[in-house]
Amino acid sequence: MSDLPNLDHYWLPFTANRQFKSMPRLFQAAKGNYYTTIDDRRLLDGTAGLWCVAAGHGREEIAVSVANQLRTLDYAPAFQNSHPLAFEAAERLAQYMPPGLDRIFFTGSGSESADTALKIALAYHRVTGNPLRNKLVGRERGYHGVNFGGIAVGGIAGNRKAFGNGLAGVDHIRHTLDIGRNAFTRGLPQDGGIALANEFEQRITTLHDPATIAALIVEPMQGSAGVLLPPVGYLKRLREICDKHGILLIFDEVITGFGRLGTKFASDYFGVVPDIITCAKALTNGAVPMGAVAVKRDIYDAFMANSPAGGIELPHGYTYSAHPVACAAALATLDIFATEKLEDRAAGLSTHFEQVAHSLKGLPFVKDIRNLGLVAGIELESIPGKPGAAAFATYLKCYEMGVLVRYTGDILAISPPLTIEKDEIDRIFSTIGEALTTLAAEGEAGLDPTRHLKNEQQWVAHQQEIHQQHLILEHTA
Ligand code: PXG
Ligand code: PLP
């Protein structure tokens, strides 16, 4: 058991800080598909961290590679200098990308990747003599990280309302969720894809001049906003419309990259190749922050051909672009994917995963279940006047029962490490089922978060007592 730290100073991201600090949920270790909490409980990881620990926790290969790199070359200036591992990591990632996307820009995160991709798209049109192509289109409920470009093209109102819209010249197309028609569909919805995609063309021709649109950015599968799947044919049609109008298509694959759908990228799964792919998260198995943007060679070549000789072709970059330690982690991760064929593993498990996920149909609160690859979204009926309360209570109950799930609004999202075993998949969903049944039986009382996490709370209280005793001893000494 480790000590409880002072909780005052750290401002947690995307977290109800006051609530969290009243019932901290802290991890002290992780190995394989399990976390260990600070009160020494084992927790099955149903979320691969935040969708990033695809190869399972505590991978020795990555640890060794990172440690060696830190001792050999801790940092090299990213601008005007570099180091061999940056080129090696780019080459290996290019080989892992869909054909043609073989020029790689490194960033420090998915948010930086999204903003980088948008800037490359805008700059591409300028460098090729089309400066009027300067509008960006995103999608309702899209998540492209939290930087200003990302929130502008993103479609989650809650992430923007405190900050403004981020960028001018941005429009959005409709999201693809239609529970009325498609509830409990296994895998991709069959209908409606072409019509939804055509709405993009309709919008840009009636409200804009298509020749003013620089890029369309979409997640092939919307993860963060609650697992929204593209109906059959939708992405292919978006590709056709982009081609017809000279618009760059960006796939944000921060979640879908690296085997999550049973293929390397979602682009491979859907057989649709965008002009730009963003990725992050599982690129280093979550061990070191890193993101990347892969662009078609033509795009890179256009910058090289059309920029003044000796000048910087893209005035953009981060102190930590291609950080040596991140490159070492990425190379070790790509090695793991190559030897363990984790994409195939995910594909092999996906039918079982789908069956078990859909076995929750009919349980209290369950309004829709959506799945693809090793991702499932379970949408709950919201409790009137208390949006998010049902999912939060379910999350807490699962946590108490030793399974980590994610929730957003009233949607539970399940995305285990690709190293998950069948019986562990069973346990994730049976635990969710039990949590939902209990919640329904308890009614209003079941929603009270203070009834949960008794272990942690007792432990925290105990720690605080010890701390107080120390202070008293120090004082009287
Ligand atoms: N694009 C997409 C498609 C993402 O899913 C980002 C960009 C931003 O990445 P960074 O590394 O800046 O966080 C993401 C991140 C969740 C959850 O629980 C999802 C994300 C991040 C944290 C939590 O759904 N997606
Ligand atoms: N702010 C200041 C004052 C800086 O000097 C820098 C980088 O030099 C940045 C922000 C950007 O930091 P990063 O390159 O890590 O994104």
Side-chain angles (χ1 to χ4, degrees), residues 79 112 317-321:
F79 308 164
E112 289 181 1
Y318 302 101
T319 303
Y320 300 128
S321 285

Side-chain angles (χ1 to χ4, degrees), residues 157-382:
N159 291 351
R160 290 202 273 167
K161 66 181 180 197
F163 317 108
N165 285 352
L167 292 178
V170 171
D171 204 348
H172 294 80
I173 58 174
R174 286 176 56 196
H175 68 72
T176 58
L177 183 65
D178 185 351
I179 293 186
R181 189 200 295 215
N182 295 320
F184 301 104
T185 298
R186 292 176 182 230
L188 300 183
Q190 289 298 321
D191 303 323
I194 305 299
L196 270 169
N198 284 343
E199 188 260 351
F200 167 48
E201 188 169 36
Q202 146 96 20
R203 184 163 300 205
I204 57 174
T205 42
T206 49
L207 297 176
H208 307 269
D209 172 358
T212 65
I213 310 294
L216 169 69
I217 181 167
V218 292
E219 301 153 86
M221 177 210 78
Q222 290 184 302
S224 202
V227 187
L228 276 49
L229 303 174
V232 172
Y234 171 82
L235 292 170
K236 189 161 166 284
R237 182 75 192 120
L238 287 184
R239 173 74 274 182
E240 288 165 3
I241 296 166
C242 286
D243 284 342
K244 180 173 161 193
H245 296 289
I247 297 165
L248 294 177
L249 178 61
I250 305 170
F251 275 0
D252 187 342
E253 296 234 31
V254 167
I255 279 178
T256 51
F258 304 98
R260 180 54 56 194
L261 302 186
T263 51
K264 290 173 175 164
F265 283 89
S267 168
D268 303 303
Y269 183 90
F270 291 105
V272 177
V273 184
D275 301 293
I276 302 178
I277 284 182
T278 59
C279 65
K281 291 193 187 274
L283 169 59
T284 58
N285 203 36
V288 179
M290 184 183 224
V293 180
V295 305
K296 278 197 175 149
R297 194 183 296 187
D298 295 356
I299 295 178
Y300 176 85
D301 287 347
F303 279 91
M304 300 307 129
N306 298 316
S307 303
I312 290 170
E313 299 90 359
L314 183 71
H316 176 72
Y318 302 101
T319 303
Y320 300 128
S321 285
H323 191 288
V325 176
C327 289
L331 284 165
T333 303
L334 288 167
D335 283 343
I336 292 174
F337 270 85
T339 43
E340 298 181 10
K341 305 210 168 7
L342 291 175
E343 311 84 1
D344 295 347
R345 194 168 194 287
L349 286 168
S350 62
T351 308
H352 180 76
F353 185 83
E354 173 176 283
Q355 277 161 3
V356 181
H358 281 270
S359 72
L360 299 184
K361 185 178 177 182
L363 288 184
F365 295 104
V366 177
K367 177 178 169 185
D368 186 21
I369 297 171
R370 307 183 279 273
N371 73 286
L372 201 67
L374 287 189
V375 185
I378 302 161
E379 181 146 357
L380 306 181
E381 251 3 300
S382 296

Side-chain angles (χ1 to χ4, degrees), residues 16-86:
N17 274 254
R18 289 159 299 172
Q19 182 190 62
F20 182 90
K21 290 175 184 182
S22 75
M23 47 159 73
R25 301 174 292 280
L26 303 182
F27 301 148
Q28 61 168 325
K31 194 74 189 167
N33 301 327
Y34 294 85
Y35 279 108
T36 308
T37 62
I38 43 165
D39 61 335
D40 293 328
R41 294 187 315 122
R42 250 159 72 93
L43 205 58
L44 176 56
D45 182 4
T47 61
L50 285 178
W51 312 80
C52 49
V53 189
H57 293 276
R59 296 300 306 239
E60 193 56 25
E61 308 89 320
I62 299 174
V64 168
S65 178
V66 162
N68 286 342
Q69 187 55 43
L70 270 171
R71 293 197 182 93
T72 316
L73 175 70
D74 53 353
Y75 180 75
F79 308 164
Q80 318 298 353
N81 297 87
S82 192
H83 59 97
L85 230 50

